[in-house]
Each structure stands twice: as C-alpha cells, then as structure tokens.
C-alpha cells in the first residue's frame, strides 16, 4: 500500500530544513529526501561538463536531467560535497527554475513519498520526509504534516559562511549574504513552483529557536497529526 506518512518541509536556503529533517528521520524511522540536492546535482554535472552556465542551453540541460534521472546517476552526484560549493550555489537557481527540469524531478519526488526506500541500516521506512521549496504546495499538496522553516537572511548567511569555512573554502559574510538574498528572490519570484508557504503549513522561525527547541516543537505537531498511523 502506498505510504501516507508524508511530512513536507519547505523554506529558504540555510533556514535549518536539513538539520530538522535528519533529526526527525532518525526519531521516526522515516526516509528523508533533500530535493535541493537533486537540482544541485544537475548543476554540478553541467559545471563539470564545462557547460556555459551563464547561457544555459535548454535542450542540453533537459536531456542531461533525463539521463541523470533515468540512470539514477543523479543520486551519485547528489552525494558529491561539491554540490555545496560557491560555484554550484551561484548557478543552481537558474537550473531549478527550468519548468521541464522541475517536471522530470517532480515524478522522482512523488515516487519517493509514495514508496520511501529502506533506511541505510536496511530497516523499512515508516514514512517519508521531503524537504525543498514547493513540497507542500506542488509535490505533496496532500501531505498530512507541512512545515515552513525560515530564519532571517543574516542568520542564514552566518550559518552558510561557517559551512564554507568548515569545507575549507574562503568566503566573506557580505558576499554570502548577497548570494542568499539573490537566491531567495529567484526562488520566490520564478514562474514555475515558486517558494511559497502552503496555507496549511506550520511556520517555524529558527532564528528564534535553537535546534532542540525546533525539533521538540515539530515532534509535538507530528505526534498529534500522525497519531493514528504511528501508534
Ligand atoms: O535547499 P537548497 O539550497 O539546497 O536548494 C538549492 C536550490 O534548488 C535553490 O535555489 C532552490 C532550489 N530548489 C527548488 O527550486 N525546489 C526544491 N524543491 C528544492 C530546491
């Protein structure tokens, strides 16, 4: 039977979606999908093929996405740490706004929600958590639990800066902040599946809560909303 335990988590870059998803997946034995990593994987592959990222050739990008998705190579790229480099960050929004690419990726995400893969230790997943920008609005509009995670651009820029430094990259705060603001604008204002809080999503501002408080709050909501199926 198709899985119905689906949690949709949306919000802008650096708001803490990944941290919350990981923690919730561990707690509930759910499989997690970071959909941003799929768009990042396509972008990285194009960069590695030395495609002119300032003038993306649509036909090429769509064909490549189809190939990466059909062969499941997209998952290999998604594991490459370079998907989080500044260069990938610079171009990923241009790739993610291409409607045909989103269409190909949508089916992948819907399938993941309905048939979540086994957990890394081989156990069967009890549900799925999918995180991105349009999960609660477009990909899984019927998800029984939806969160929209946000934080101020300044808080998110500080977190990203730390991430770059930990990765051994050089970066400065003002550039990171400008890049976060530019990506927010692109994600919010694109024509296809813009980032938007679903009407029935619960808003969490992680500038105001630490990781533990955010987890406990989300857990309380999930325990109430998924009571029947988790018992
Ligand atoms: O969450 P992230 O920063 O890894 O996302 C990378 C990019 O992909 C970002 O520009 C938003 C875009 N994205 C999207 O358009 N839809 C999603 N479901 C997930 C990410």
């Amino acid at each position: 039977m198709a899985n119905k335990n689906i949690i949709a988590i949306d919000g802008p870059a650096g708001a803490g979606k990944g941290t919350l998803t990981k923690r919730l997946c561990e707690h509930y034995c759910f499989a997690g999908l970071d959909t941003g990593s799929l768009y990042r994987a396509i972008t990285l592959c194009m960069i590695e093929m030395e495609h002119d990222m300032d003038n993306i050739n649509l036909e090429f990008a769509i064909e490549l996405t189809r190939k990466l998705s059909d062969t499941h190579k997209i998952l290999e790229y998604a594991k490459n740490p370079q998907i989080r480099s500044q260069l990938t960050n610079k171009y990923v929004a241009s790739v993610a706004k291409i409607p045909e690419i989103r269409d190909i990726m949508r089916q992948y995400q819907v399938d993941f929600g309905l048939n979540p893969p086994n957990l890394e230790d081989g156990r069967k997943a009890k549900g799925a958590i999918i995180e991105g920008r349009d999960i609660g609005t477009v990909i899984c509009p019927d998800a029984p639990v939806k969160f929209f995670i946000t934080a101020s651009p300044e808080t998110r820029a500080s977190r990203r800066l730390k991430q770059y430094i930990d990765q051994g990259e050089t970066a400065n705060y003002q550039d990171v902040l400008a890049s976060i603001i530019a990506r927010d604008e692109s994600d919010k204002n694109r024509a296809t599946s813009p980032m938007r809080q679903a009407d029935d999503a619960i808003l969490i501002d992680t500038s105001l809560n630490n990781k533990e408080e955010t987890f406990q709050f989300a857990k309380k909501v999930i325990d109430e909303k998924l009571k029947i199926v988790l018992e």
Side-chain angles (χ1 to χ4, degrees):
M1 206 175 72
N3 170 51
K4 289 201 172 83
N5 288 338
I6 299 176
I7 299 172
I9 301 188
D10 290 303
K17 302 186 298 289
T19 307
L20 179 63
T21 298
K22 195 160 174 275
R23 186 90 194 269
L24 291 173
C25 280
E26 281 164 10
H27 181 79
Y28 291 108
C29 297
F30 276 26
L33 177 64
D34 165 7
T35 60
S37 76
L38 303 177
Y39 297 105
R40 287 173 178 276
I42 301 162
T43 309
L44 176 63
C45 184
M46 290 172 76
I47 292 172
E48 286 191 350
M49 291 173 89
E50 297 186 359
H51 189 74
D52 178 0
M53 297 305 290
D54 292 311
N55 297 291
I56 293 176
N57 176 310
L58 274 188
E59 250 173 66
F60 171 84
I62 295 163
E63 195 44 43
L64 178 69
T65 303
R66 209 165 273 133
K67 256 192 220 144
L68 286 173
S69 167
D70 289 350
T71 58
H72 295 284
K73 279 222 165 101
I74 195 158
L75 295 179
E76 277 170 42
Y77 273 95
K79 284 187 196 134
N80 185 329
Q82 284 304 315
I83 65 165
R84 314 232 168 251
S85 71
Q86 290 177 71
L87 194 59
T88 314
N89 276 347
K90 182 172 171 198
Y91 291 113
V92 65
S94 328
V95 171
K97 74 177 181 201
I98 300 173
E100 292 87 346
I101 290 187
R102 299 198 75 84
D103 259 358
I104 299 169
M105 288 297 100
R106 186 177 56 210
Q107 196 52 49
Y108 184 87
Q109 298 167 56
V110 169
D111 286 348
F112 186 100
L114 295 176
N115 299 297
N118 285 345
L119 304 177
E120 272 176 17
D121 60 10
R123 277 180 301 164
K124 194 169 159 33
K126 292 184 182 166
I129 304 184
I130 308 184
E131 54 142 313
R133 301 291 189 286
D134 58 343
I135 311 304
T137 50
V138 175
I139 305 293
C140 304
D142 299 327
V145 184
K146 297 179 188 177
F147 294 109
F148 193 86
I149 314 290
T150 192
S152 68
E154 291 75 15
T155 303
R156 293 186 282 128
S158 302
R159 289 177 188 159
R160 267 288 138 88
L161 183 65
K162 184 175 178 305
Q163 204 177 46
Y164 289 141
I165 290 167
D166 290 350
Q167 279 169 200
E169 292 190 58
T170 45
N172 78 66
Y173 175 78
Q174 286 308 332
D175 288 349
V176 176
L177 180 61
S179 149
I180 290 234
I181 292 171
R183 205 132 58 85
D184 283 358
E185 285 306 304
S186 171
D187 291 343
K188 272 191 285 194
N189 297 317
R190 67 172 175 234
T192 315
S193 306
M195 172 172 70
R196 191 173 66 73
Q197 181 181 346
D199 294 339
D200 52 350
I202 293 164
L203 180 69
I204 305 179
D205 186 336
T206 63
S207 331
L208 310 172
N209 304 294
N210 65 30
K211 287 178 193 169
E212 184 59 26
E213 288 164 340
T214 302
F215 167 71
Q216 291 300 339
F217 176 77
K219 180 174 163 308
K220 192 161 170 276
V221 172
I222 297 165
D223 286 346
E224 275 163 19
K225 294 213 179 204
L226 294 185
K227 203 182 284 171
I228 304 160
V229 275
L230 288 176
E231 264 167 8

